[in-house]
Amino acid sequence: MSATPRSNAAPITPSNAAPNNAAPNNAAPSNAAPSNEGGNTWRGALIKDDSLWVRWRFGTEHHSAELRFNPGVTFFSVVLSAGFVLWCIIARDTAGDTLNDVSEWLGDRFDWFHIVSHTVWLVVIAGVYCTRFGGVRLGRSSSKPELTDSSWFVMMFVCGVGIGLFYYGVAEPVYHYTQTNRLTANGYTPDMELAQEALTTSLYHWGLHAWCGYVVVAVTVGFVGHKKGLPLTIKSCFYPLLGDRVFGWFGDGIDTLSVVVTLCGMANTLGLGVQQINAGLEEVMGIGVSTQIQFFLILGVMGLAIFSALTGIEKGVRRFSELAFTLSSALLLITILLEGPWFLLDLLVQSLGYYITSLPRLSLTTDAWENSGVGSEEGAARGRVYTDGATDGPADWLDKWTVFYWSWWVTWAPFVGVFMARISKGRTIREVINAALIAPSVTCFLWFTVFGGAGLQTERTAAAAINSTHLYCCLPDPEELSWVTDKPDDESEWKSEVGEGECLTQFITKWVDDWRDSDVTDATLANFGTFYNVTTNRYKMAISDDKSTARLSCIDLNYMWFTLTDTLGPLRWILNIVSIATIVLYIATSVYSAIITLDTLTANGDKSPPRVQRIFWGCLLGGVCVALLVSGGEDSLKAVQTACMITALPYTVLLTVMCLSLWRGLSMELGAVDPYGGDFKVSVLDPIASWRPTLWCLTLKNIFLTPYIMYRVVQKIGAAKSHGFLFSVAGFVLWGSWIALLIVNILVDGAWAAAWVSFLGFAGCLAAVRGMVRDYLGIHGSKVEDFLVALLLYPCVGTQLQTVVEKGGQSTLVPLPYRTKDGNK
């Protein structure tokens, strides 16, 4: 997959580079030596940006506007997004089920990949950080940061977390502590250990693994954009591997996928955010929860974000981010003081220790046994004894939590990573990793320890005093009270009728006096339903009358944050109002960065696209959310969440390849790999990414001819007398076995397994031959790379190797010893 630019033009100096990287091929050639100081050159050749452009100016001489965008990326992004929304609206009853089926199918087969990929990214980042790669500056060596350290960190942090701190800060640890999952499955687990494991799992979901995807994008985009002068787009990240091919339809496809993924991730966040804001307004002002209220909330948040996008970084998002971070810090400090600083400091130190020791296990946990289909019932059949309520963890827990989280973080990676890169010019890679990975993880640790710890402590206290507080997670079915004909004089009258049924008995104990003293005179079931209103009283049985304590596990996720702040005493009103304002600012900052990135990606990396385009993308994002909310409400939001998990899988593959591209680019930059070394003229992706019908036909033939080409190329490079001949013969035999066994599988079930084992062997032989060619011609690469391209694109590898055979190999490849520094023979 090694690549080189496709242009033979002379290199240009930074001073002659295209302004803003906006216009392709408008720099005058120069005979100056290539420079690595931010110029538009790569491996000593001019970068040939052939991206599609539409430039249109309209209006009068004094009042005009301009549009500059990539028509392909823009058109397909809008069509795919609009098509998804229309499908969810038209097929509302079936769209969710279809998406769930696809998501479950992918989960059964690729959950391991989600888990492993994030760990791989973290290892790559650690390798960059701990080597000399970490000292590479994103920009010229003389570049200076544009923002102060504090503003820079705050903008990245607020943009990266969205509403997650408030939506899950209290709820997730409490959920893991009380609900059915792999932690609560063991009935022998001590309660205190269970609380700590619940908090540790939450830290894992918001720690290093969560932020590493952002950092991969931020560092790669910053390196190729600020250091090498490429456009600030996702497709540019693959230039070290693909060269100028990224500026064709293949690169546009990458940017289109980035736009669609961003819209899914942001729509999900905006939907959850307005629901929580609505819940907060109900708590503080008594405003009911409704679609209409959430509609106006979306309009308000989008208006604030678009205003911020139009005012720019310095006056808009920077001030919003600093205000949001200041308010959230105030909430954090107040909670620490009111909840008990010594307990929370103990918990912070202990949780950090648990996180460090548990990280290797959590990083590779895939719930293999839970998903195997053999559970506790089969264990009981073998004579195992289970404690009361103890079962194996649910098979879908990993999908609902860890995989969902990783998918959500990945859908945010394009716009958060590009935004981070945009404001990180002049910083070293090590500085970016410190501010975008380590510092945010530490901040999230502190936040979840304080609010998650406070939530767990509140839940445990209320549950321990249940006999005196009568706080229950129970709402009876009104049909159970259909026998009621009159108000009771005391609770014993009801209890004599219903016996000791737990849920109904708890309800009677809590409500009998309130109902007896109410103004309801007719004791019919209908009037009882009016009094017992599940909208206004849905959580009354879980919250004490003075709101000093609550069973948080009984509370809906949207209300759990505000229920906790209610327990903090007389400051509850102030804390709730500040919380609502802070949530709005966090969402607006994230939406701002999404709008800016959507505009940048669809404008080929233009750093200053026309403002009207920002308004368009802001309206489109808001329109997607409004359409889904109005048409389907909760069901549509679940459909978006499922779509996030589906679109995140291919993007996870892209980020993994991006790690390889980053390492290759940094190796060339620092001389670990000769940037002027040999190269294949035909990349393995040329048959896919280029518009050359002859190449397509050749690749189609090589579906069957690749084994023969292996033999020919081994002869050509003089490896026939060595083990190269054995590889070519073995490859031919294994390829033939693969085809034959697939045919046999029609009659003999199970032959497919042997067929694909044969194919793996064939891919290994093809990779070995490709490695020999690379060694002979001095082309940099790795055996892992050879195997992956042989496994996934073997006809394309056959086409690549065929260039070595045709015309004596001299017209397409020149061995490294005969190349000069400028790449010519």
Side-chain angles (χ1 to χ4, degrees), residues 161-301:
V161 295
I163 54 98
L165 294 182
F166 292 87
Y167 196 81
Y168 290 109
V170 176
E172 184 178 353
V174 171
Y175 183 93
H176 294 324
Y177 173 68
T178 58
Q179 303 300 315
T180 303
N181 53 60
R182 83 160 83 96
L183 304 178
T184 58
N186 185 355
Y188 291 105
T189 302
D191 189 73
M192 291 176 287
E193 183 72 16
L194 182 61
Q196 184 59 62
E197 288 292 343
L199 186 56
T200 302
T201 301
S202 302
L203 297 183
Y204 167 58
H205 289 155
W206 289 85
L208 297 173
H209 283 72
W211 290 84
C212 64
Y214 294 172
V215 175
V216 169
V217 177
V219 171
T220 310
V221 172
F223 171 70
V224 298
H226 298 314
K227 188 72 174 178
K228 308 307 298 181
L230 286 158
L232 290 178
T233 61
I234 300 298
K235 64 185 178 185
S236 298
C237 297
F238 301 93
Y239 197 92
L241 293 178
L242 306 179
D244 289 332
R245 300 171 187 86
V246 299
F247 299 120
W249 72 268
F250 190 78
D252 287 348
I254 292 175
D255 282 346
T256 300
L257 177 61
S258 302
V259 171
V260 173
V261 164
T262 295
L263 287 170
C264 285
M266 201 65 246
N268 181 31
T269 299
L270 194 54
L272 292 176
V274 295
Q275 287 183 351
Q276 189 176 31
I277 295 172
N278 197 174
L281 292 174
E282 180 188 23
E283 182 74 17
V284 174
M285 304 173 63
I287 297 176
V289 176
S290 68
T291 300
Q292 291 78 8
I293 296 296
Q294 293 170 14
F295 168 77
F296 287 108
L297 288 173
I298 290 177
L299 294 184
V301 170

Side-chain angles (χ1 to χ4, degrees), residues 411-435:
T411 58
W412 273 46
F415 75 88
V416 175
V418 171
F419 177 72
M420 287 179 171
R422 188 186 182 97
I423 64 175
S424 297
K425 185 176 181 179
R427 307 279 181 173
T428 65
I429 292 178
R430 191 171 288 113
E431 289 176 319
V432 174
I433 295 174
N434 284 332

